[in-house]
């Protein structure tokens, strides 16, 4: 707070006043000035414009441990598990504290067995509560994780790491608002906490705020260039928005930063296939398949590259073998069946019945691609004159949460004079986007229907 106006510099170059600074006239009285009460206010959607913000846990100062343990926490926040483990490999750190950090560092590297070995048989120990919570989350035991985070917070109510783990537990429990609050608090308290910014970005992206999410992903990557997850998220966003050139440039930077990382190469292969670089895609697919022979996604992309290079028989054999072996990931199974359908349609004459069967099975698997697969099923059904199958595709689409696909289905239904489905899908989409500009557009669409 400033205590009054100051003389401007002689050269006229006045310094800009910070937006957070409030100027008041200098106190002129002879007695000491009275205290000025300050209140924290906040805006809560759906309530009065401003409410008093109590000094709750999200306003507390979050703290790090002293010494080596604090250095380890900072390293974990930077997504640098090796530095975290090295920080506690010194004299003066107790064995149990060292094991706790080693377990969390192992989890950051995806090594559950190493984390279990570090915690040993005394996972219920008080000093291991935080590490046990992290391991429980990795094991899918959200209830145990919540209990152990509560234990950790009892020991250190203002612990930064404890608040971060609490946010992850809230995500597992579906309380995304509380998770966002905790992650934002961690990011404010620790300017170098790249992991918190990345996780917060993921929540904002899921909530439909890609602009803020992208900013957070970029910040996280700048904080730790070796942390590839935020850059991969950015690249995925670019691919989704069809900005393939920008995506390939970013992937190129990623492969230079982390040459051994597999995920950027897989995404690069997907983009090459999307933009029609068939020969380059096949070369990269062969390289990746030789490097990781049993990788299901790479196998699928390799088969797709073969098909794009006019080798459909080899592609079909590979995908059929993969499906027969059993694919546990639902989205990969959907992609495999869609690929078999496309191979069947590309034959001369096309095997339309087989393609329709495969697409229906892919839709009913219920994975993330169900909405766009319904659209594909509709197009194939109309192309082969199967109106009943086209109507079934629209009916299945009405069960999808993919708003974009539902809107596309409504437009397709209107263009084929399927008025009842056009209205049904448009009304479903309108319910999803209530209160947004898209609602008015859908109102206009509904007004065009007979």
């Amino acid at each position: 707070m400033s205590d009054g106006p100051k003389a401007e510099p002689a050269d006229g170059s006045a310094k800009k006043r910070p937006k957070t600074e409030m100027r008041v006239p200098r106190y002129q009285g002879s007695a000491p000035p009275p205290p000025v009460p300050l209140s924290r206010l906040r805006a809560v959607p759906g309530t009065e414009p401003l409410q008093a913000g109590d000094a709750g846990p999200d306003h507390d100062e979050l703290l790090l441990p002293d010494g080596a343990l604090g250095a380890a926490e900072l390293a974990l926040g930077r997504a640098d598990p090796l530095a975290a483990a090295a920080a506690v490999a010194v004299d003066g750190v107790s064995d149990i504290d060292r094991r706790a950090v080693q377990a969390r560092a192992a989890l950051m590297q995806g090594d559950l067995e190493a984390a279990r070995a570090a915690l040993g048989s005394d996972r219920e120990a008080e000093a291991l509560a935080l590490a046990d919570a992290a391991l429980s989350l990795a094991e899918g035991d959200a209830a145990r994780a919540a209990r152990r985070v509560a234990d950790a917070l009892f020991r250190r109510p203002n612990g930064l790491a404890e608040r971060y783990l609490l946010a992850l537990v809230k995500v597992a429990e579906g309380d995304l608002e509380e998770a966002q609050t905790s992650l934002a608090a961690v990011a404010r308290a620790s300017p170098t906490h790249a992991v918190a910014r990345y996780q917060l970005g993921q929540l904002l992206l899921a909530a439909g705020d890609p602009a803020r999410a992208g900013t957070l992903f970029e910040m996280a990557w700048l904080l730790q260039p070796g942390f590839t997850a935020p850059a991969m998220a950015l690249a995925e966003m670019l691919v989704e928005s069809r900005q393939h050139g920008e995506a390939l440039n970013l992937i190129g930077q990623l492969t230079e930063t982390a040459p051994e990382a597999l995920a950027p190469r897989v995404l690069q292969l997907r983009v090459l296939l999307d933009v029609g670089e068939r020969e380059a895609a096949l070369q990269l697919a062969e390289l990746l398949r030789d490097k990781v022979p049993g990788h299901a996604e790479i196998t699928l992309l390799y088969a797709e590259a073969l098909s794009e290079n006019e080798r459909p028989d080899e592609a079909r054999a590979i995908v059929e073998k993969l499906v027969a072996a059993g694919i546990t990931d639902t989205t990969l199974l959907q992609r495999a069946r869609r690929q078999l359908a496309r191979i069947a349609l590309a034959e001369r004459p096309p095997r339309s019945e087989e393609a329709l069967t495969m697409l229906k099975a892919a839709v009913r698997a219920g994975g993330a691609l169900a909405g766009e697969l319904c659209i594909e099923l509709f197009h194939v059904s109309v192309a082969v004159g199967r109106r009943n199958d086209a109507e079934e595709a629209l009916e299945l689409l009405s069960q999808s949460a993919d708003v974009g696909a539902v809107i596309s289905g409504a437009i397709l239904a209107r263009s084929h004079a399927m008025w009842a489905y056009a209205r049904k899908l448009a009304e479903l989409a309108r319910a999803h986007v209530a209160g947004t500009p898209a609602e008015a557009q859908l109102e206009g669409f509904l007004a065009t229907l007979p």
Side-chain angles (χ1 to χ4, degrees):
M1 181 183 295
S2 173
D3 56 0
K6 294 181 173 63
E8 302 291 350
D11 61 0
S13 59
K15 291 184 178 179
K16 290 186 177 180
R17 179 164 51 90
K19 294 180 179 180
T20 54
E21 182 180 289
M22 181 175 66
R23 289 192 172 188
V24 297
R26 184 184 296 277
Y27 181 70
Q28 301 295 331
S30 57
V36 179
L38 298 177
S39 298
R40 186 189 297 272
L41 301 176
R42 62 176 179 169
V44 180
T47 65
E48 294 299 321
L50 290 175
Q51 292 184 359
D54 298 331
D58 55 329
H59 299 306
D60 293 338
E61 182 184 3
L62 300 184
L63 305 174
L64 287 167
D66 295 327
L69 291 178
E73 288 297 345
L74 288 173
L76 290 171
R78 295 193 310 271
D80 192 345
L82 296 179
V88 294
V90 295
D91 295 336
V93 178
S94 68
D95 178 66
I96 199 164
D97 285 338
R98 183 180 296 112
R99 286 163 47 207
V101 171
Q102 288 172 343
R104 291 170 57 206
L107 288 172
M108 187 166 281
Q109 295 172 300
D111 193 341
L112 268 67
E113 289 305 317
R116 293 187 185 106
L119 294 187
S121 59
D122 54 344
R123 284 178 59 170
E124 286 290 338
E126 184 179 347
L128 296 178
L130 196 62
D132 186 27
L135 178 55
S136 298
L137 277 178
E139 293 172 335
D141 191 345
R144 179 185 175 92
R147 176 174 65 81
R148 297 299 275 151
V149 161
D151 293 341
L153 283 167
F154 183 79
R155 293 182 70 221
R156 286 173 49 85
N158 291 351
L160 185 138
E162 286 79 358
R163 181 65 59 82
Y164 172 71
L165 260 296
L166 175 64
L168 299 190
V169 168
K170 293 299 180 183
V171 171
E173 293 176 340
D175 189 351
L176 302 187
E177 184 177 351
E178 182 63 30
Q180 285 188 31
T181 300
S182 289
L183 285 172
V186 172
R188 285 194 304 270
S190 179
T192 63
H193 208 298
V195 181
R197 284 168 173 76
Y198 166 66
Q199 297 286 5
L200 184 57
Q202 291 283 30
L203 291 181
L204 290 172
L205 184 61
D209 192 348
R212 289 173 63 199
T215 299
L216 285 165
F217 292 149
E218 190 170 0
M219 288 172 63
W221 192 38
L222 289 172
L223 284 169
Q224 178 56 283
F227 184 25
T228 60
M232 281 295 298
L234 272 174
E236 291 277 6
M237 290 173 66
L238 291 170
V239 172
E240 289 293 325
S241 58
R242 313 300 293 176
Q243 299 178 65
H244 292 119
E246 292 85 346
L248 285 173
N249 286 336
L250 181 54
I251 293 167
Q253 295 177 54
L254 268 172
T255 54
E256 290 179 7
T257 304
E260 296 302 316
L262 185 63
R265 290 293 190 184
V266 174
L267 184 57
Q268 182 181 23
L269 176 53
R270 282 173 47 198
V271 175
L272 290 174
L273 288 167
D274 283 348
V275 299
E277 294 286 346
R278 298 181 298 176
E279 294 182 3
L282 183 57
Q283 290 176 3
L284 180 56
E286 288 172 339
L287 178 68
L288 293 176
R289 191 178 185 230
D290 291 341
K291 186 176 181 180
V292 193
H295 195 287
E297 183 173 12
I298 291 173
T299 302
L300 272 180
L301 291 170
Y302 174 59
E304 187 176 344
L306 287 172
S307 184
E308 291 293 326
N309 283 272
E310 300 180 0
R311 294 161 64 179
D313 292 339
E314 295 173 67
R316 183 174 59 250
I318 288 171
V319 180
E320 286 176 346
K321 182 179 179 181
L322 189 63
V323 171
I327 302 176
T328 56
D329 185 288
T330 304
T331 301
L332 285 179
L333 180 60
Q334 286 182 314
R335 286 171 54 186
R337 286 175 170 157
R338 178 176 63 184
Q339 198 165 325
L340 289 172
R342 289 177 176 178
I343 292 171
L345 288 171
E347 292 191 4
R348 292 293 176 267
R351 292 184 288 131
S352 303
E353 290 294 334
E354 181 181 332
L356 287 171
T357 300
M358 282 294 173
L359 285 172
K360 288 177 184 177
V363 169
R364 290 181 178 130
L369 300 178
E372 62 182 75
L373 284 167
C374 286
I375 300 297
E376 192 161 343
L377 176 59
F378 179 89
H379 282 300
V380 174
S381 300
V382 169
V384 298
R386 297 282 291 271
R387 186 178 177 89
N388 289 340
D389 287 329
E391 291 179 348
E392 182 181 355
L394 295 177
E395 185 62 41
L396 290 168
L397 183 57
S398 69
Q399 302 166 25
S400 172
D402 185 342
V403 180
V406 171
I407 293 173
S408 297
I411 295 170
L412 286 171
R414 182 179 65 175
S415 67
H416 289 83
M418 297 179 179
W419 310 118
Y421 282 109
R423 180 169 296 279
K424 179 179 181 179
L425 292 171
E427 288 175 347
L428 283 170
R430 182 180 60 180
H432 279 292
V433 299
T436 71
E439 183 179 15
Q441 295 176 338
L442 286 165
E443 291 284 1
F445 176 88
L446 285 164
T448 67
L449 302 177

